[in-house]
């Protein structure tokens, strides 16, 4: 079976998959660091952050005992914003010094922030499913203090935090369209099947400033659940799934598939040209050359 199915104009014919590392238990939250030509990801059950220097091809443990970090993104100043299951918060890592950004709203704790992006408005947008408080190897047992799972927006200028999406069962990965007018959010509630939902789809929302409207189904996964996702410069959505990476046009058309031999949790564009796709897939991190990039570089 070919590794790449379709994806004409997005991946050149004959491109191969490279396995970069195989040292994780469950790799997630992968980000490219352009100033270091490196990738960094969370090994959530390993409770550590792993670093791979692409220039020299060496993997190292960036930090161990990290309170189960998950998704991460670079802020505009180059510092790292990351989700902490164990601390139930969003935090910042600036050259190794970790400080909390936000850990509650209206006096109640978050569940276990899962993935995070900096929006076009400069605010921090993040998802808050329950995995870090219900899966023993992904955090610490805890209660859902607000009894639901929301997408939040934290305004760094004013310090205010409020829910922006409340109709997704278990929000997971999220990404904005290049023009910032659409927010895509994965619903991975098939992982738990709570409330009889069992959703395995991506929803899209129109973004009006700090508000999200017109939520609708964007793409349904056939195998496994969508987790982390990215949007390329043409607005195509590259999403993780149980059988690899799937790519969808902005109108929801399925453009093709990259078969990965392990369950994919997250992905990012990077490398010197910005066109390498790095894929966090269970125990391994893979890469494949593409013909596009995203807008976060
Ligand atoms: Mg995730």
């Amino acid at each position: 079976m070919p590794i790449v199915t379709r994806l004409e104009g997005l991946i050149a014919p004959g491109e191969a998959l490279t396995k970069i590392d195989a040292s994780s238990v469950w790799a997630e939250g992968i980000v490219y660091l352009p100033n270091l030509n490196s990738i960094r990801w969370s090994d959530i059950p390993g409770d550590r952050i792993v670093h791979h220097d692409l220039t020299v091809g060496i993997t190292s443990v960036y930090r161990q005992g990290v309170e189960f970090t998950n998704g991460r993104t670079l802020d505009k100043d180059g510092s790292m914003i990351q989700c902490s299951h164990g601390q139930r918060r969003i935090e910042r890592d600036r050259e190794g010094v970790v400080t909390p950004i936000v850990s509650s709203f209206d006096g109640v704790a978050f569940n276990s922030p899962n993935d995070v992006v900096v929006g076009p408005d400069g605010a921090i947008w993040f998802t808050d499913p329950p995995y870090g408080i219900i899966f023993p190897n992904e955090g610490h047992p805890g209660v859902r203090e607000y009894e639901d799972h929301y997408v939040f927006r934290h305004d760094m200028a004013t310090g205010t935090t409020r829910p922006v999406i409340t109709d997704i069962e278990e929000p997971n990965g999220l990404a904005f369209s290049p023009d910032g007018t659409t927010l895509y959010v994965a619903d991975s509630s098939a992982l738990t099947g709570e409330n009889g939902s069992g959703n395995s789809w991506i929803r899209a929302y129109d973004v009006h400033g700090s508000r999200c409207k017109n939520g609708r189904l964007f793409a349904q996964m056939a195998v496994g659940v969508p987790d982390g996702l990215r949007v390329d410069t043409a607005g195509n959505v590259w999403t993780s799934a149980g059988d690899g990476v799937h790519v969808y046009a902005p109108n929801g058309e399925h453009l093709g598939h990259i078969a990965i031999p392990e369950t994919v949790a997250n992905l990012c564009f990077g490398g010197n040209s910005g066109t390498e796709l790095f894929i966090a897939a269970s125990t391994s991190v893979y890469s494949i050359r593409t013909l596009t990039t995203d807008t976060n570089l």
Side-chain angles (χ1 to χ4, degrees), residues 273-287:
S273 62
T275 57
E276 198 87 7
L277 184 69
F278 298 100
I279 301 160
S282 305
T283 64
S284 303
V285 171
Y286 299 86
S287 70

Side-chain angles (χ1 to χ4, degrees), residues 78-94:
S79 65
M80 189 72 79
I81 297 173
Q82 62 197 21
C83 300
S84 170
H85 282 187
Q87 300 274 17
R88 302 173 71 162
R89 72 184 187 188
I90 303 295
E91 60 190 25
R92 185 184 304 278
D93 180 335
R94 194 187 300 279

Side-chain angles (χ1 to χ4, degrees), residues 73-264:
T73 193
L74 284 177
D75 200 357
K76 298 187 193 315
D77 65 0
S79 65
M80 189 72 79
I81 297 173
Q82 62 197 21
C83 300
S84 170
H85 282 187
Q87 300 274 17
R88 302 173 71 162
R89 72 184 187 188
I90 303 295
E91 60 190 25
R92 185 184 304 278
D93 180 335
R94 194 187 300 279
E95 295 176 356
V97 178
V98 178
T99 52
I101 295 175
V102 60
S103 56
S104 65
F105 85 105
D106 282 352
V108 298
F110 300 126
N111 302 312
S112 52
N114 187 290
D115 217 340
V116 59
V117 291
V118 175
D121 57 355
I124 297 173
W125 300 64
F126 62 97
T127 59
D128 193 33
Y131 308 129
I133 55 174
I134 64 172
F135 296 149
N137 64 346
E138 289 201 14
H140 308 298
V143 298
R144 280 166 259 219
E145 294 196 4
Y146 63 92
E147 301 178 337
D148 210 332
H149 318 117
Y150 293 161
V151 180
F152 290 95
R153 177 183 179 275
H154 175 71
D155 188 321
M156 285 188 278
T158 63
T160 55
T161 309
R162 65 177 191 81
V164 284
I165 297 174
T166 60
D167 64 352
I168 293 183
E169 288 293 336
E170 294 175 11
N172 199 320
L174 75 171
F176 284 91
S177 61
D179 63 5
T181 62
T182 304
L183 178 63
Y184 298 99
V185 185
D187 183 348
S188 57
S189 58
L191 283 174
T192 65
E194 290 181 359
N195 302 322
S197 69
N199 298 332
S200 180
W201 60 43
I202 297 169
R203 288 174 62 78
Y205 294 80
D206 297 337
V207 180
H208 300 279
S210 62
R211 302 196 299 167
C212 293
K213 298 291 184 185
N214 188 28
R216 67 266 184 197
L217 178 65
F218 174 72
Q220 169 84 51
M221 299 303 109
V223 180
V225 298
D227 197 329
L229 50 91
R230 303 282 177 175
V231 182
D232 70 23
T233 51
N236 302 314
V237 176
W238 298 61
T239 181
S240 53
D243 58 348
V245 175
H246 288 270
V247 186
Y248 296 87
N251 66 2
E253 179 192 354
H254 185 238
L255 298 178
H257 172 226
I258 308 168
I260 307 289
E262 299 180 77
T263 298
V264 177

